[in-house]
Amino acid sequence: MRNRLLTPLRARNGQDFRPWICPSCHNLRLYRRTFSSTTSPKNTKPYYVTSPIFYVNAAPHIGHLYTLVLTDVLKRWHALRGRGAILCTGTDEHGMKVQQAARKEREDVKVFCDRNYQSFSILADRAEIDYDHFIRTSDPDHHFAVQHFWLMLRNKGFIYESKHEGWYSVSDETFYPPSAVHLTLDPSTGRKFMASMETGKEVEWTSENNYHFRMSALQERLLKFYEENPKFVVPASKMKDVVQQVKAGLGDLSISRPVDRLSWGIPVPDDSSQTIYVWLDALINYLTKSNYPFQIPGQEDAAGWPADCHVIGKDIVRFHCIYWPAFLMALDLPLPRQILAHAHWTIGHEKMSKSTGNVVNPFFALDRFYADTMRYYLIHDGGIQDDADYDNSYIIKHYKTGLQGKLGNLVGRVVRGKKWDVRRAVMLHETVNDELAKEHVARLSALPDQVLAHMDDLNPGLALKTIMEVISKTNEYITHSAPWYLAGNLRDPHHLDRIIFLCAESIRISGILLQPVMPSKMKELLDLVGVQPGARGYKDTRFGADRDYGRAMIDVGVGAETALFPPLRSDF
């Protein structure tokens, strides 16, 4: 059940919220909060990973799916290692772009959000995202957290009122200084307009009275934090960019909009003429679902905070890596431990754009290739440092060569073999005595630590490729060893069992490590080789750790159609 406040709040969104309650008076009132149901062992902070929350003004695209899968793989990985883990995702429903989108549809903005958020929730479910919280910024508990956060900033002297003039991008929901905009031309219409040099989005000149956050006062603290935490942002190139931006100087930040321009959002406490800036509102969602501001003294991290990793796209680095730490520093709250800023997807090496029609509908992709295949492809090819190009032909190639031709082929060869018994091979395993087998044992023994190192570096793609390389080597090993010719060998009757055991161990260890990427298919794989549900954790990936598997728990099937990775319905 979603965390919530039983006390409704005041807001300008058509909901019947009651007036703001001063936090210091909260305990004097009979209000109650339901805390996170996700817990970890006593004194152990759960791993807390978040995706960004997604704007509901447009439908989901493949980039949203990639971000969700990356986030989910990190969550599942830490759960695999035996740690409690929490994943938070959701939708960003406030701001000018959402307000304008609803107006364009001639629909009440709350009704618009209630309808459109569902596509993101459905996408997460279809992609087998194991989320614990799906937050909507229109939720009552989030309103409470944001207004509380605002009051704490004000009480500490970080908020002041002033006139603001500058270039505002509705699409980016941010102000840009004059040095960051330029005059550009729309080649399709010939229309000239001012646009952000960073994103290419149109900007408009705005002059208004609003509230400001004293971000300039935190410049040195931010730089000191970056110096002490050089891996705060991954990849390193993005960390370097962030440091350079802050060193170049930080101005104070406009953190509200006049209500006559932006009415859809959370109102500034005690000032109904102003609406809280959408990015301040949105960033606080990560705190909301960690029970802010109601953490129990001495157990502040029980619901996950500080976040272990925020997974974001590279286009929102500034907000997460500069603004967000500054907001938290102002209140002396713990900062997130790392931020993974991944690259984008292109088509034909061109940026995806709704205006040109070259966007990928993730639901169509999931319908055609199913969740695990898409998860595999996105993690395998998705960019962390550099953009990746999307094409159905790439998915088909990876399916046929990697999943079907390597992993599926290996599993079929071993579990469907008529001349050997996998269970007997596991039980009778003896020390290997030939060089080829010794090399393979060393390869399997090293694999878990190699994958762990890549995951610690927030590089699931490299971890996946490392596992698949071992699968390739195992196929080479079984082909070279040719166990199908060894049945009945009287000179060394156990040689066949040693070969089958090594191949089975490759499948078992790899299958366990691949669970965060392909949860459904790896459950099937581990069932096929008879690994018990309680023996599928990272601790079980040590070579020879499990001597109780080898008897299939499900039908191994016959023929291509019942294989682990059956033929695709279409090659186009």
Side-chain angles (χ1 to χ4, degrees), residues 336-496:
R337 293 175 176 172
Q338 280 191 298
I339 297 176
L340 173 59
H342 64 75
H344 289 169
W345 287 89
T346 60
I347 290 186
H349 303 287
E350 296 290 336
K351 183 178 178 180
M352 291 190 188
S353 171
K354 288 180 291 184
S355 61
T356 58
N358 65 334
V359 292
V360 177
N361 185 320
F363 294 104
F364 291 169
L366 289 166
D367 285 341
R368 179 175 179 184
F369 298 111
Y370 302 110
D372 276 354
T373 301
M374 286 304 300
R375 289 171 65 102
Y376 176 90
Y377 168 67
L378 292 172
I379 294 299
H380 190 282
D381 276 18
I384 301 296
Q385 175 70 46
D386 301 311
D387 291 346
D389 207 44
Y390 182 97
D391 195 284
N392 284 345
S393 66
Y394 302 156
I395 304 174
I396 293 169
K397 178 181 178 182
H398 280 305
Y399 186 88
K400 287 186 172 182
T401 60
L403 296 178
Q404 192 179 50
K406 293 179 182 178
L407 182 55
N409 183 49
L410 177 63
V411 172
R413 282 172 140 182
V414 173
V415 304
R416 291 180 172 181
K418 301 297 185 183
K419 297 183 178 181
W420 53 77
D421 183 336
V422 177
R423 177 68 191 132
R424 187 187 72 177
V426 172
M427 288 191 301
L428 299 181
H429 160 57
E430 297 178 359
T431 304
V432 296
N433 54 13
D434 65 271
E435 289 304 314
L436 191 62
K438 288 179 180 178
E439 287 179 12
H440 200 63
V441 170
R443 186 177 294 117
L444 290 175
S445 299
L447 181 61
D449 285 343
Q450 292 172 342
V451 173
L452 175 61
H454 295 320
M455 293 301 293
D456 283 348
D457 289 339
L458 300 181
N459 197 336
L462 191 52
L464 174 57
K465 290 169 185 173
T466 301
I467 298 168
M468 294 306 294
E469 177 62 21
V470 168
I471 295 297
S472 294
K473 292 294 184 182
T474 307
N475 274 302
E476 292 177 10
Y477 171 72
I478 195 172
T479 298
H480 183 272
S481 302
W484 36 86
Y485 295 132
L486 298 178
N489 186 337
L490 299 179
R491 289 182 300 172
D492 188 357
H494 297 305
H495 184 46
L496 172 63

Side-chain angles (χ1 to χ4, degrees), residues 291-327:
N291 292 334
Y292 178 84
F294 295 100
Q295 292 100 335
I296 299 172
Q299 300 180 36
E300 290 86 355
D301 63 0
W305 195 261
D308 292 270
C309 186
H310 291 319
V311 180
I312 63 171
K314 65 179 182 179
D315 55 320
I316 52 176
V317 164
R318 175 159 46 98
F319 306 101
H320 283 80
C321 305
I322 300 176
Y323 295 1
W324 184 221
F327 292 146

Side-chain angles (χ1 to χ4, degrees), residues 73-294:
V73 167
L74 293 177
K75 187 239 172 132
R76 289 178 183 271
W77 171 255
H78 285 272
L80 187 74
R81 295 192 64 202
R83 184 178 178 185
I86 300 171
L87 189 160
C88 182
T89 188
T91 47
D92 188 352
E93 302 183 7
H94 293 144
M96 189 74 74
K97 68 163 68 175
V98 175
Q99 181 175 289
Q100 291 182 355
R103 186 177 299 149
K104 185 177 180 180
E105 295 291 323
R106 297 182 179 180
E107 193 169 21
D108 174 79
V109 66
K110 183 61 169 63
V111 173
F112 177 84
C113 292
D114 287 344
R115 174 170 54 83
N116 283 9
Y117 95 89
Q118 296 179 50
S119 60
F120 291 93
S121 175
I122 293 169
L123 178 64
D125 292 336
R126 287 282 309 280
E128 298 188 23
I129 306 303
D130 187 24
Y131 61 88
D132 301 273
H133 303 295
F134 190 98
I135 188 171
R136 300 176 61 192
T137 54
S138 57
D139 289 340
D141 58 348
H142 181 65
H143 282 247
F144 193 103
V146 172
Q147 290 190 318
H148 178 90
F149 196 97
W150 178 284
L151 286 177
M152 296 303 99
L153 286 176
R154 191 182 69 183
N155 291 346
K156 285 181 171 285
F158 278 94
I159 294 179
Y160 65 94
E161 193 172 3
S162 178
K163 183 176 182 179
H164 186 86
E165 292 186 333
W167 294 99
Y168 191 80
S169 167
V170 173
S171 180
D172 299 332
E173 292 285 14
T174 190
F175 280 100
Y176 288 104
S179 60
V181 301
H182 65 162
L183 184 65
T184 189
L185 180 73
D186 184 341
S188 62
T189 65
R191 185 175 73 91
K192 294 181 179 180
F193 61 95
M194 297 298 293
S196 161
M197 291 162 50
E198 178 184 351
T199 66
K201 301 298 184 181
E202 185 168 359
V203 296
E204 57 186 19
W205 181 257
T206 301
S207 178
E208 58 193 34
N209 288 315
N210 51 30
Y211 290 95
H212 288 67
F213 171 66
R214 299 184 191 277
M215 192 162 63
S216 58
L218 295 161
Q219 180 173 339
E220 294 307 317
R221 281 184 65 183
L222 282 169
L223 289 173
K224 185 173 187 296
F225 173 77
Y226 299 148
E227 182 179 2
E228 294 172 350
N229 299 273
K231 294 185 178 181
F232 175 59
V233 183
V234 175
S237 59
K238 295 293 184 290
M239 180 79 253
K240 183 179 178 181
D241 291 343
V242 167
V243 172
Q244 288 177 344
Q245 287 184 53
V246 177
K247 281 185 175 179
L250 290 179
D252 290 346
L253 183 67
S254 170
I255 55 170
S256 73
R257 302 297 307 277
V259 68
D260 58 358
R261 293 192 176 179
L262 176 62
S263 60
W264 175 240
I266 301 175
V268 169
D270 307 322
D271 187 350
S272 60
S273 70
Q274 295 280 320
T275 302
I276 295 174
Y277 176 44
V278 65
W279 269 105
L280 175 57
D281 167 356
L283 289 164
I284 294 169
N285 94 87
Y286 305 129
L287 278 176
T288 301
K289 288 308 179 185
S290 61
N291 292 334
Y292 178 84
F294 295 100

